[in-house]
Amino acid sequence: MAQVDDVEVKPRLGRKRDESRDPEILDAALDVLAETGYDGMTIDMVAARAKAGKATLYRRWSSKEELVIDAVARMKSGDLNLSSPPDTGTLRGDLVAMVKSPTLKNAEHRLKVMAGIMSMIARNPELAAAAQAALIEPRAAANRLIFQRAIDRGEIPADADLEMLSTLGAAIVNFRSLMLQQPVDRDFMIRTIDQVVLPAAGLRLTA
């Protein structure tokens, strides 16, 4: 009886997808999103901005929704290192130092992206979670650390509401930019710190 040798059968693999262009495509998606909003954005627009074929995008993302979720999530990785916020020795010094990073230009771009996805967030929990993780939580976490340091120094009361304080400044900036359509510059952000955030934390500047 003839003996049949064991033969290793290797699966046939398709062409491996080139992921090297993903960051460039996601950045292009963010730019288009900031300019047109989610409803006005198309895959064709992103492909043209990234100088990529539309088929290339559809091999990676089956829908505009998936592309936007990945693009928004990417914004976290491109942010500055907020795990070690400035430590100047005073609460005001730390908060003012945070105004310098990221630059106001980058902050404005992020606000435009946020405005662009507002119509979709309410109906897409996954995008809402991505926006929370990328656009809100990194800076809120840095602010919590800054306010906790102030508590530890005895600069503000121990029962200060860290959760409220950590997002208060951003809420004011977002409202001014998104709802009032007014510019947010360094002077406005410093005034917000001095006139709203510090008093809310129980610290008032002396004349």
Side-chain angles (χ1 to χ4, degrees):
M1 180 170 159
Q3 185 176 13
V4 180
D5 295 334
D6 292 335
V7 177
E8 181 182 359
V9 179
K10 296 182 179 180
R12 298 179 62 184
L13 300 176
R15 185 175 62 179
K16 185 177 180 180
R17 182 176 64 80
D18 179 13
E19 297 183 359
S20 63
R21 295 212 61 200
D22 282 8
E24 183 181 350
I25 293 170
L26 293 172
D27 285 343
L30 290 172
D31 288 342
V32 174
L33 185 61
E35 293 170 8
T36 69
Y38 178 79
D39 293 331
M41 174 184 176
T42 66
I43 293 291
D44 284 346
M45 289 178 181
V46 178
R49 181 68 60 92
K51 296 181 172 60
K54 187 165 66 170
T56 299
L57 272 68
Y58 274 117
R59 279 196 296 269
R60 175 65 175 86
W61 300 278
S62 63
S63 68
K64 179 176 72 170
E65 185 175 284
E66 288 186 4
L67 173 60
V68 168
I69 289 171
D70 275 4
V72 170
R74 170 175 160 73
M75 295 186 75
K76 181 178 180 179
S77 64
D79 203 350
L80 72 161
N81 180 15
L82 290 173
S83 61
S84 300
D87 188 358
T88 65
T90 68
L91 176 57
R92 185 180 188 276
D94 291 352
L95 294 175
V96 169
M98 287 281 285
V99 173
K100 298 178 180 178
S101 54
T103 64
L104 292 177
K105 182 178 179 180
N106 287 341
E108 181 181 0
H109 183 259
R110 294 167 78 88
L111 284 172
K112 288 181 178 178
V113 170
M114 186 178 294
I117 61 177
M118 290 304 292
S119 66
M120 184 185 169
I121 281 182
R123 60 181 185 265
N124 188 305
E126 189 175 356
L127 178 59
Q132 167 75 15
L135 301 174
I136 299 173
E137 182 53 30
R139 184 158 292 268
N143 285 338
R144 286 189 205 101
L145 179 56
I146 286 174
F147 285 109
Q148 185 60 57
R149 287 174 183 162
I151 291 174
D152 295 342
R153 288 192 299 262
E155 195 175 359
I156 62 175
D159 61 353
D161 188 337
L162 294 184
E163 290 306 312
M164 183 271 288
L165 292 172
S166 69
T167 57
L168 179 58
I172 293 171
V173 167
N174 291 347
F175 181 81
R176 179 179 175 87
S177 178
L178 301 180
M179 301 301 295
L180 301 182
Q181 297 292 303
Q182 294 182 15
V184 174
D185 56 17
R186 177 178 173 78
D187 179 67
F188 174 79
M189 296 179 79
I190 299 299
R191 285 189 287 116
T192 298
I193 290 171
D194 289 341
Q195 298 175 19
V196 181
V197 178
L198 293 179
L203 180 65
R204 295 188 179 274
L205 297 179
T206 56

